[in-house]
Amino acid sequence: MRVDFLRRAWPGLLALTCVAPPVALAAAPCPPGDRPRIAEVLYDPAGDDAGREFVELFHPGAVEVSLAGVKLESGDGSSAGRWTLRWTGGVADHVPPRGRFVIGGARVEPRPDAESELSLQNGPDAVRLTWPDGTVEVVGYGAHDFAEYSCGEPAADAPSGFSLARVPDDASSGDNAADWRPATPSPGRANQAARDLAWVRGSLALDPEQPPPNGPALLSGRVTNPGREGVEGGIARLIVTRASAGGDAAWAEADLVVALASGDSATVVLPLAAAPEGRHALVARVAVAGDEAPANDADTLSVRIGPGPVEITEIQFHPATGEGEWVELMNRSREGVDPARLRLADRADRPGRPAGGSRELAPGGFALFAQDRAALLARYPAIDSAWVWQVSPWPSLNNSDDETGSADAAIVREEDGTRVARADYSAKGVPAGVPLERRDGAFWPAVDAGGSPLAPPPAPRAVPGRFEVAPRRVTSRGARFAWELPWPVARVSVDLYDLSGARIATAIPEAEVPGRGERAWIPEGLASGLYVAVLRARAGTPGEVVHATRALRIEGGAR
Amino acid sequence: MRRAAAIVALALVSAPAGAQDFAGPAPAALSRGTLGFLERALPPEGSDPRLETLATRVHGLSDLDGVSLALGGGWRALRVAAGCSRVGVPGIGWESAGFAAGTALATGGAAVRVLVRRDVREPGAPAPDVGIEAGGGAWVRAGRARLWAASPQAARSGAAPPLLRGLEAGGDFAFAGVTLWIAHAARAFAGAPRTRTVGVALTGDAFALWVEARDHPRRAGLGLRGQRGPVGIAAVVESHPVLAETVRIAVEFAPFGSGR
């Protein structure tokens, strides 16, 4: 009997198989007519998801609708047909005309209309609403491989802490990507308020980023109008406060003078009043009467006024002996600092995380952030490995200056991005392999060619006669040129002349140096013999020149 | 004849490379050239015995002050000279003893030189390094013109000299109390420059006045020599665009007169 049925039916089954598309490729349904539709989904709340996820339904129609028998499912986009029931509407559940109905966890504020732990996936996934009559609506987010998980193209993934919202609330273009966007969670409220001004998240910036104590600074940021209505200029107020250990204080206030149409945004700049040294939480608010979405009115920025607890004291950006790049830090505060809580970045500001060291930095203590911790310890076997930290990824430091006259910068930040210290440096005139060390408030080539990792730089010795060479019989181990000039900073060069007066070589190309300093030098390519080293130094003022000579003898040079 | 010999001698010592042990001011060689004989192995035309002393301050550096003593003479065509010098302070200075021997006629001469040099070390320093160098030189005259060449460090052993010197060559032309000369010093080592020298001198029986210019870097020297009886005094000041002046002063004593 069954065989006879199959025999008669197989042509039809074959035709169905060839003509009907696979279920997985079928387009998922979009919001139905004037029924309630999914209007907001929070699937990745900030912090712990438990109890905070919600799905909001919005009813655009004029007649109350019962949700009895309506099913809400969570879809797992990793493969086809993976839907899990999360909630089923009861007889008491209904949506008023032009109203909303929120299904969510116990920690959703305000309390949802229907409490349910949704356990939504974080994308690429979907939620599906199925009505008792079989009508279905799907909202998909993230990059999907299966068409059943979205209406049209899926919406872009929302960052953690943001919901995915239909904007405007009744948008229904047949394409999730067009109708949905990340938004500040607003359960039970309109996704697009009539009047709303907000700071664009992450747009706040301080210039300079780390101003000096009581020094001038400018705060910039972008204010946007996500509401339906335009806001004329002069009716909104920008208010900046700071919170620190000493309490909250007003920092700046100004009118928003520009008019913002719906969807527009504008950059605003506010001069900040002088502020004391320390770390502050800057809070910027935009206030306008009738704002229906106060949750997005404020944004915060953690800033530091004045120097941080740690300063950069030495930078090796062009190692010559395989030890890798490294940056030395010193704790200038009166309290311990845990280097593991810091981050190191270069001018591109890609922070690397330190690991491998084991000790907190005591006041006045030094730590090393290394590109290659093992190689650095091999190069400097005497230093204590407890204060050497491997930074990953290492922010590769540039070796040559760009058109601005700067090669790169070493930047230290706290875990939350608050800047602690920054040291811009120039590579011009720095001998290969010689690190830069902080002396007299600026960075100079190290007194010792190998630098002074985990130690303060040696103090330059007094130089009688303004210019000295030691030792005066120079072997392949090299010598040191030392100078003491009548200026804090000078441009210095040292040339070598032979006994006949012919200029033979340049030992130190002209470079900016501290007025009192030393420079290691190794003779290369010079014949043995007697030479006269000529130091020429000039200050910034034209006409001020120091000229000094010393005789030296080179042994074991080229013949 | 005396004037011609003096002019030739002046030209012979006007070699371009700065020297290190017995490089006297031109008038010292103008009179008889014992210092120049030791420095470049260019034998003087005259054979009278001579004693010459030399004091030098190089580039204004007191650390490189030097003194030298040279004695020379000859018999017929044979020429010999010996001398010693000390230059510089312990640590960078050196002492040297030199000997030169050769032959010279009116139409030309040739000689060899040997010089032993010892570094002057500071007290407590390791034993000083010793070096020896040997070389030769020759000159030939044709009418009013002379050509010369010298390689004073053709062979070296031991400690390197304070100044490496390559082949030096030059020529001069004398007419009516005026002498013109040109000279060239080859590169002594990779990285060292070749140098060229030109000069002009006015000479008389008891005086000579000359100027000389040199390149790498461009600089000039002014020299003067005077003689009375057996004693002559010569001095030169050489300028430098960067370094201080070099000053050389020599005193000559020729007990048998200033003839050949």
Side-chain angles (χ1 to χ4, degrees), chain A residues 24-125:
Chain A
L25 296 179
C30 295
D34 59 354
R35 291 194 189 188
R37 74 272 318 271
I38 302 168
E40 188 174 3
V41 181
L42 177 62
Y43 55 83
D44 186 14
D48 182 13
D49 287 6
R52 299 180 185 276
E53 297 173 339
F54 69 84
V55 172
E56 178 193 76
L57 308 182
F58 170 65
H59 178 35
V63 179
E64 182 176 280
V65 174
S66 170
L67 296 176
V70 173
K71 294 177 180 174
L72 179 68
E73 296 167 289
S74 167
D76 179 356
S78 60
S79 58
R82 293 172 64 91
W83 293 98
T84 304
L85 179 65
R86 296 301 187 198
W87 174 83
T88 303
V91 293
D93 298 324
H94 59 272
V95 192
R98 304 293 300 175
R100 297 168 193 278
F101 188 90
V102 178
I103 307 152
R107 297 164 71 188
V108 173
E109 291 289 342
R111 190 172 177 178
D113 301 292
E115 201 170 293
S116 175
E117 187 62 41
L118 297 179
S119 300
L120 301 174
Q121 304 285 335
N122 285 354
D125 296 297

Side-chain angles (χ1 to χ4, degrees), chain A residues 366-393:
Chain A
F366 292 91
L368 286 179
F369 281 179
Q371 180 182 20
D372 186 336
R373 184 173 184 266
L376 180 66
L377 291 171
R379 167 70 175 81
Y380 298 98
I383 65 177
D384 190 336
S385 62
W387 282 296
V388 181
W389 302 74
Q390 171 98 31
V391 173
S392 300

Side-chain angles (χ1 to χ4, degrees), chain A residues 472-473 497-504 525 527-532 534 536 547 549-553 555 558-559, chain B residues 18 20 58-59 61 63-64 91-94 119 121 129 158 160-164 189 193 214 216-217 219 240 242-243:
Chain A
R472 300 185 74 180
R473 293 189 79 88
Y497 292 77
D498 70 10
L499 196 56
S500 75
R503 198 180 76 83
I504 301 300
S528 296
L530 193 137
Y531 293 84
V532 179
V534 179
R536 276 182 284 194
H547 190 274
T549 54
R550 286 290 178 273
L552 59 93
R553 193 81 182 264
E555 292 182 327
R559 294 294 181 97
Chain B
Q20 46 203 324
V58 179
H59 304 314
L61 292 165
D63 287 356
L64 294 179
I92 59 171
W94 65 93
D119 292 339
R121 292 295 179 99
D129 293 332
L163 176 66
L164 284 175
F189 60 92
R214 189 188 299 184
H216 293 296
R219 47 204 149 136
H240 194 283
V242 176
L243 303 169

Side-chain angles (χ1 to χ4, degrees), chain A residues 317 347 398-410 422-428:
Chain A
F317 60 90
R347 196 163 51 188
N398 292 334
N399 290 4
S400 54
D401 289 8
D402 59 15
E403 64 279 1
T404 67
S406 172
D408 208 336
R422 173 177 176 136
D424 291 81
Y425 66 87
S426 166
K428 188 176 180 182

Side-chain angles (χ1 to χ4, degrees), chain A residues 160-239:
Chain A
S160 179
F162 286 78
S163 66
L164 203 58
R166 190 188 293 277
V167 178
D169 294 70
D170 57 355
S172 183
S173 67
D175 186 3
N176 288 161
D179 295 343
W180 293 78
R181 69 176 70 156
T184 303
S186 59
R189 300 193 307 274
N191 293 338
Q192 186 176 35
R195 169 163 288 195
D196 185 19
L197 286 180
W199 287 95
V200 175
R201 289 291 175 102
S203 69
L204 293 178
L206 205 58
D207 182 22
E209 184 181 1
Q210 195 173 353
N214 300 314
L218 295 175
L219 175 70
S220 64
R222 286 192 72 76
V223 174
T224 184
N225 178 4
R228 292 194 303 273
E229 301 174 356
V231 176
E232 59 262 43
I235 67 167
R237 194 80 177 144
L238 304 171
I239 304 161

Side-chain angles (χ1 to χ4, degrees), chain A residues 152-525:
Chain A
E153 289 297 316
D157 234 338
S160 179
F162 286 78
S163 66
L164 203 58
R166 190 188 293 277
V167 178
D169 294 70
D170 57 355
S172 183
S173 67
D175 186 3
N176 288 161
D179 295 343
W180 293 78
R181 69 176 70 156
T184 303
S186 59
R189 300 193 307 274
N191 293 338
Q192 186 176 35
R195 169 163 288 195
D196 185 19
L197 286 180
W199 287 95
V200 175
R201 289 291 175 102
S203 69
L204 293 178
L206 205 58
D207 182 22
E209 184 181 1
Q210 195 173 353
N214 300 314
L218 295 175
L219 175 70
S220 64
R222 286 192 72 76
V223 174
T224 184
N225 178 4
R228 292 194 303 273
E229 301 174 356
V231 176
E232 59 262 43
I235 67 167
R237 194 80 177 144
L238 304 171
I239 304 161
V240 181
T241 58
R242 67 170 184 271
S244 57
D248 293 357
W251 210 348
E253 193 164 346
D255 287 336
L256 178 64
V257 295
V258 296
L260 288 177
S262 175
D264 279 359
S265 62
T267 297
V268 296
V269 178
L270 286 85
L272 297 181
E277 179 175 330
R279 182 187 154 122
H280 306 275
L282 179 153
V283 181
R285 290 186 176 81
V286 53
V288 61
D291 192 315
E292 296 176 359
N296 60 13
D297 288 356
D299 198 4
T300 61
L301 180 67
S302 181
V303 299
R304 183 180 302 286
I305 306 296
V310 163
E311 72 175 354
I312 298 167
T313 48
E314 201 164 352
I315 302 171
Q316 174 55 285
F317 60 90
H318 56 176
T321 53
E323 75 269 31
E325 297 176 348
W326 49 271
V327 172
E328 181 190 71
L329 309 178
M330 190 196 78
N331 181 1
R332 58 176 295 280
S333 74
R334 296 178 181 175
E335 299 174 352
V337 172
D338 183 1
R341 293 179 169 275
L342 302 176
R343 301 290 180 265
L344 180 69
D346 60 2
R347 196 163 51 188
D349 226 352
R350 294 183 292 267
R353 177 190 297 262
S358 57
R359 291 195 194 168
E360 189 177 85
L361 206 52
F366 292 91
L368 286 179
F369 281 179
Q371 180 182 20
D372 186 336
R373 184 173 184 266
L376 180 66
L377 291 171
R379 167 70 175 81
Y380 298 98
I383 65 177
D384 190 336
S385 62
W387 282 296
V388 181
W389 302 74
Q390 171 98 31
V391 173
S392 300
W394 178 257
S396 297
L397 301 171
N398 292 334
N399 290 4
S400 54
D401 289 8
D402 59 15
E403 64 279 1
T404 67
S406 172
D408 208 336
I411 303 169
V412 178
R413 296 187 182 279
E414 295 182 35
E415 285 177 298
D416 65 357
T418 307
R419 198 167 88 181
V420 176
R422 173 177 176 136
D424 291 81
Y425 66 87
S426 166
K428 188 176 180 182
V430 183
V434 176
L436 292 169
E437 62 189 10
R438 183 187 290 274
R439 296 198 310 272
D440 303 325
F443 279 90
W444 306 104
V447 172
D448 292 324
S452 55
L454 292 185
R461 58 195 170 86
V463 183
R466 292 194 168 162
F467 180 46
E468 282 295 323
V469 182
R472 300 185 74 180
R473 293 189 79 88
V474 185
T475 65
S476 59
R477 286 177 295 185
R480 311 178 72 78
F481 294 117
W483 57 86
E484 189 166 358
L485 303 169
W487 316 298
V489 175
R491 295 196 68 81
V492 160
S493 65
V494 176
D495 290 326
L496 294 179
Y497 292 77
D498 70 10
L499 196 56
S500 75
R503 198 180 76 83
I504 301 300
T506 297
I508 300 178
E510 185 175 274
E512 191 168 270
V513 300
R516 182 171 165 177
E518 294 184 11
R519 180 72 63 85
W521 171 68
I522 294 177
E524 292 177 345

